Amino acid sequence: MMSIMETDAAADAGKYENRLLARKDELEQLVDATSAERATVELDQQRQGRLSRMDALQAQAMANEAARRRLVELERIDNALKRCAAGDYGYCVACEEPIPAARLDFDPAIATCVNCARGG
């Protein structure tokens, strides 16, 4: 039996869609703003010392990982927006049961209920 909280989440997809769009815009701006940090590190030993190059390579690796995570989150957001457009938002993609509003409040891009996320 569905509780009022569960049905509200699916019915209030517009609120979540606005949050998803805002987060998507924020992530896209971050990806664009950090492109210089992900640029190839020059290995010119005449201009940089070994430790400076190592620091630059480490900073580049961290920036690349942050960008990768942002792109994964963007993909999750795009999938959630597709579910909104299809009228399937707020329902678990695995079992098709409503996802509790509290779970969607925490992460509007979530695609599964707690039970399916646990593998049960």
Side-chain angles (χ1 to χ4, degrees):
M1 178 177 207
M2 284 188 269
S3 72
I4 292 173
M5 265 187 113
E6 290 172 331
T7 57
D8 287 347
D12 202 15
K15 171 182 86 169
Y16 295 110
E17 187 174 12
N18 289 337
R19 283 184 56 198
L20 289 164
L21 290 169
R23 180 65 178 153
K24 179 179 180 176
D25 185 51
E26 179 184 348
L27 288 169
E28 287 173 341
Q29 289 179 17
L30 281 169
V31 168
D32 290 343
T34 60
S35 63
E37 295 170 10
R38 297 186 316 271
T40 303
V41 175
E42 289 186 32
L43 298 178
D44 182 1
Q45 293 184 8
Q46 302 302 324
R47 293 182 16 182
Q48 264 183 336
R50 189 184 72 174
L51 293 177
S52 294
R53 285 192 311 278
M54 289 172 52
D55 287 343
L57 288 169
Q58 182 180 23
Q60 178 196 34
M62 290 175 17
N64 283 335
E65 177 59 18
R68 186 196 65 77
R69 289 178 187 208
R70 288 182 187 120
L71 294 174
V72 167
E73 186 175 356
L74 281 168
E75 185 175 338
R76 291 178 58 243
I77 289 170
D78 285 338
N79 289 334
L81 290 170
K82 287 176 187 172
R83 289 192 304 278
C84 285
D88 296 331
Y89 184 80
Y91 294 94
C92 178
V93 296
C95 70
E96 298 181 0
E97 290 295 316
I99 299 171
R103 186 160 168 82
L104 292 171
D105 286 340
F106 179 74
D107 182 0
I110 203 76
T112 57
C113 65
V114 174
N115 191 39
C116 290
R118 288 184 185 149

